[in-house]
Structures are given as C-alpha cells and as structure tokens.
Amino acid sequence: MAPKPRRVTQREIAELAGVSQTTVSVVLNDRDGGGVRIPEATRARVKKAIEQLTYVADPAARRLAGLDNQIIGVFTYEAALSPESMDFYGPLLNGIERAAERIGWDLLFFTSSPVEDGTRSLFHRKTRLRLTDGCVLLGQQMVASELERLVAEQFPFVAIGRRDETAAAVPYVAIDYVTPTTALIDQAAAAGHQQALYVHRGRDTPAARDRRGAVEAASADGRLAFLLVGEERIADLPRLAQATGATVIIAEDAFLIEDVVHALTAAGVAVPDEMSVAALGEVRGHRIEGRPLAGFHVPREQLAAEALDLLQLLISTEPQEWADLETRRHLDSEVEPGATIVVRTES
C-alpha cells in the first residue's frame, strides 16, 4: 500500500508563490474576490504554486484550483484511438460523451502523458489531473500505486472494470462476464456439444480471469470439456480439434474468432456446419460466413453512463462519507444466440 501523501502547508505555497501566508489564506477562502482585493497576477501565482505542490487534499485548495468547474477527466492507460483499440474504447468514450452532455459537464481527455512500455502514467508531470473535478479511468490493466494514491488523496475517480491490482477501496463500474459465459457454455452443451476448445489471449485481467474461470468450471463439473489454447496456437486448431474431438471453439473475443475461422477454412473445415464458434465478448457487427456470431452484447454505453453517475455522486459527497456509498457497481451482459452454434446430431 502506498503511503498517504504528505499534506503540503500554506507556508510552502506562500514561499513558492513569493507571497505571505496571509495572502495564501485569503485566496484559498475568497476565490471570487468578494472580500480582500488580491491582484489577479497574485492569485495566478498562488494557483500555480498549488498545482506544482499537488495541494489538492484540502477542499478549499481544490476549489481554488478550479476543481468545481464541472470538468471531468478521462484517462486511458493504453492508446484508445488507434484502429485496434477503437472497438473496445469507442463505445465507452461515446457513452461518456453522451452522459457528460446530459449533465452539462465538459470532458478533458488526457493525452499529454506518453505511452511508454504499453502504458501511460496518470501522474505524469504533463497530465492536467488537477484541473478536473474528478476522473474516469479506462484500461485493461491499471497501475496499483496510482490507484492507491488517488484513494489516499481522496480524489474523486471511477475505474471502468473491476480492479484487482490493489486492495484499496477503488470505486468502479464493471461488467459481469461470469453469468453470460456460463449461459453460452450451457447453450453449446444443450446443442449436443461435448468437447470444446477455448482460445484466449493470455491476459491476466479481471475480465479475462472471469471468463477463463467459468470455462474451467464447466470442464470441472462435466458440462462441456475444454482444452485451453493460447492465441499463438491458432494455426494448430484444426489438428487440436481433430485430436480432441472438439466440435465447438469459443474464443475470448470476436476478433480472435475471426482469426480462428480463417485457420479453420484454410484447413478445409466448414464453419459453422462442421465446427461451431462463439465469442465471450461483444459480437454485434461481427458475422461469420454471413451469419450472426454467437456471443454477448456488452452494454458499454450504459457502463459509461453508470461510471459518470457514480463519479458525480462522489464529487458531490464529502470524502468522509464515501464509505457509506455503493461505490462498486456490476452490470449484466446479454447473450446473443447468433447462428454459429449448430445442433450436433448423432452420426
């Protein structure tokens, strides 16, 4: 657990700004200038000093720094606007935009922190976190120390997705993947499938672990026997299917299924007539051989709206009362039956 950050004093702010402690106190408690007259240049120096010293735990300092300007920060740990990531992030960003528009707040999309080793740092010196009332965090994986720092500083934020990186009380809104995964497996079993392959990306994220856990549970209780296959072995799937007697292949997401189908058709395996397929992710907009792909509909826009609703609740509630709030919310995904899990008949 990261140590709780030291509270910066008004004396330090005064020294950095080159003003008296009295001036700092007056500016902190008289933001609109209705009392003692403080020149705008002096106010600006005090505000800059506060930003440089990260003096945000005190409500008065946060108000001074413009943190009640109805601005919400949006931070993505990975690049969000690349063609590869837009399928995941696009609906979330669209939902955040719509929700912010409904409540009349502006969004500040943090892009100044560079992507290094596949991730960004929320506390990079260029990130303008302190200009916002609160922040929505997105990312397959997040940095535990940064989540812990936000919690310790009582800065309002909400993460998209369940967070297992830390034991800190991280507020989040997440999708339940276990229930629809179980339902889709049951659908395949009811259609007569007994042996299956599960193709995964090898990620150690909460959502990936939830999917994999439901797959392993189905194998353990005999509903549908799975062999787990990493994405690097997609080319081996025709051989593995023949060796195991698998008649259905389920993948972690729809893009993996497209690669799976390419490998199968290249080997002369007809999909879905000879090999059924399904995805444990969003499948709307994905078709296989002209048929709707079996999988999920993930309500990402609703997820984003819930995240902003929770964030607004945190912003409007005193931090000492956050423990009494429901700060972890779970949404359901709908199973999309599709047409790529075909009924098996005895030969």
Side-chain angles (χ1 to χ4, degrees), residues 72-330:
I72 295 170
V74 179
F75 182 83
T76 62
Y77 275 93
E78 304 98 20
L81 302 180
S82 66
E84 297 79 13
S85 60
M86 275 302 292
D87 182 74
F88 176 79
Y89 283 112
L92 289 173
L93 295 173
N94 186 43
I96 291 172
E97 179 186 37
R98 288 171 179 250
E101 182 181 4
R102 281 196 297 271
I103 63 177
W105 286 33
D106 290 317
L107 297 176
L108 179 58
F109 191 30
F110 299 126
T111 55
S112 59
S113 175
V115 177
E116 298 174 346
D117 297 324
T119 188
R120 287 189 173 102
S121 171
L122 177 62
F123 290 100
H124 188 276
R125 59 183 176 79
K126 291 185 176 181
T127 304
R128 294 171 176 83
L129 179 67
R130 309 304 175 180
L131 300 180
T132 66
D133 293 300
C135 185
V136 176
L137 304 182
L138 300 96
Q140 297 284 351
Q141 292 181 305
M142 300 184 185
V143 179
S145 60
E146 296 192 344
L147 297 175
E148 290 163 0
R149 179 174 172 180
L150 288 169
V151 171
E153 292 186 6
Q154 298 181 325
F155 187 85
F157 78 101
V158 174
I160 299 289
R162 193 181 81 243
R163 305 324 315 169
D164 293 347
E165 294 91 343
T166 173
V170 174
Y172 67 75
V173 178
I175 295 292
D176 168 23
Y177 282 103
V178 174
T179 302
T181 296
T182 301
L184 195 66
I185 290 172
D186 289 345
Q187 176 187 334
H193 297 275
Q194 298 179 349
Q195 301 289 328
L197 303 177
Y198 177 58
V199 184
H200 61 89
R201 296 189 182 276
R203 293 171 175 163
D204 189 30
T205 63
R209 288 197 297 272
D210 285 350
R211 294 175 172 105
R212 190 166 58 247
V215 165
E216 292 171 344
S219 281
D221 63 25
R223 280 177 292 139
L224 185 59
F226 280 94
L227 173 66
L228 275 61
V229 182
E231 64 176 323
E232 70 280 359
R233 300 185 64 195
I234 284 180
D236 295 333
L237 290 178
R239 179 183 60 81
L240 291 173
Q242 185 175 26
T244 61
T247 54
V248 59
I249 298 177
I250 298 177
E252 190 173 328
D253 58 62
F255 292 99
L256 271 182
I257 279 295
E258 291 175 353
D259 293 339
V260 167
V261 171
H262 179 76
L264 292 173
T265 55
V269 180
V271 179
D273 298 323
E274 294 180 85
M275 180 66 67
S276 295
V277 295
L280 302 182
E282 179 62 64
V283 295
R284 292 189 180 182
H286 295 268
R287 300 181 74 84
I288 301 298
E289 302 297 326
R291 307 188 195 195
L293 175 61
F296 304 159
H297 169 52
V298 182
R300 289 182 181 148
E301 290 192 19
Q302 181 187 353
L303 186 72
E306 286 280 343
L308 255 68
D309 178 73
L310 176 55
L311 181 59
Q312 195 176 25
L313 179 62
L314 292 171
I315 291 170
S316 62
T317 304
E318 291 296 327
Q320 60 267 27
E321 299 176 9
W322 288 353
D324 298 326
L325 303 177
E326 182 184 352
T327 59
R328 296 181 174 183
R329 303 179 182 180
H330 297 86

